[in-house]
Amino acid sequence: VSVVRALVDVASATVRRKLLRHGRPEVAKRVTEAAGLAAERLSNEQWLSRYDFEAAYRTVSMTLKKQPVNEASVFAMASAGKFPEAGVMFALCAGVALEEAKHWSVRADPKPFLIVCKAMGFSSETVSACLRLGPWLRRLDREERARSLFDYEGLDSAMAVQIFSEWKKKRVSEAA
């Protein structure tokens, strides 16, 4: 992960210098932000590449024939340590693309995931099980997981619903 960050830092510094040389300071300022996003995305891909989401999707598809996908099914998979399956079920519950849900589920900052869970009315127990799963098991230490759970419990449900609803509308308009 630190190698990825170092490579992105070197590349972004080079791009920034070239933009400044060509009289584009406003664009050069945005390179740092873009570099941070790129490094996070690459790091996320590194974490996600360890999991077989296609097989998980097939497993969940079979499960759908027997039971609905809901918070209880997300909790069951998370409690069983089945990160990809829990991720697929989470995406289906939230009505979001699996790619988006996967990236929410590995970020060093789980805030987007927490907001979606709060918007869906997930219990703290389910959120806690998810935070002890997959990449978060290694990316978040015990204190960070506890802080995230504390933050989750303090989130305003109505605000989370509003944020998630606005995010979904934005995604729909971007796709159109």
Side-chain angles (χ1 to χ4, degrees):
V1 175
S2 60
V3 172
V4 169
R5 184 71 203 170
L7 289 171
V8 169
D9 287 346
V10 169
S12 63
T14 302
V15 169
R16 251 191 322 277
R17 279 193 303 276
K18 286 182 181 181
L19 287 167
L20 289 170
R21 227 179 298 133
H22 287 63
R24 306 280 314 266
E26 70 287 348
V27 178
K29 287 180 187 177
R30 289 185 273 166
V31 169
T32 302
E33 181 181 323
L37 291 172
E40 181 177 341
R41 196 73 162 176
L42 288 170
S43 174
N44 289 352
E45 289 300 330
Q46 177 185 2
W47 285 101
L48 290 170
S49 68
R50 302 171 184 185
Y51 301 96
D52 187 350
F53 285 92
E54 289 180 28
Y57 190 82
R58 289 190 298 275
T59 299
V60 169
S61 295
M62 297 303 290
T63 302
L64 287 174
K65 295 176 183 178
K66 300 174 194 165
Q67 69 185 48
V69 173
N70 54 26
E71 179 186 356
S73 56
V74 173
F75 178 75
M77 290 298 178
S79 295
K82 296 183 177 183
F83 171 66
E85 290 83 356
V88 170
M89 288 185 173
F90 171 77
L92 291 171
C93 282
V96 300
L98 179 57
E99 282 303 308
E100 199 69 41
K102 286 172 16 182
H103 284 281
W104 288 339
S105 299
V106 297
R107 289 176 51 133
D109 174 10
K111 191 169 186 172
F113 173 79
L114 299 176
I115 289 170
V116 175
C117 287
K118 185 60 93 166
M120 293 190 305
F122 277 18
S123 70
S124 294
E125 187 177 31
T126 298
V127 172
S128 179
C130 290
L131 291 174
R132 292 188 314 266
L133 190 62
W136 278 332
L137 188 59
R138 291 176 184 81
R139 290 191 93 174
L140 301 176
D141 63 26
R142 180 175 283 136
E143 291 83 28
E144 290 168 319
R145 277 194 291 280
R147 189 173 31 259
S148 294
L149 194 57
F150 179 80
D151 291 347
Y152 178 74
E153 291 167 354
L155 279 173
D156 178 70
S157 296
M159 182 64 76
V161 167
Q162 180 181 352
I163 291 168
F164 187 45
S165 177
E166 289 174 10
W167 178 86
K168 283 177 118 176
K169 285 178 192 172
K170 181 180 175 191
R171 285 293 194 215
V172 168
S173 69
E174 287 174 354

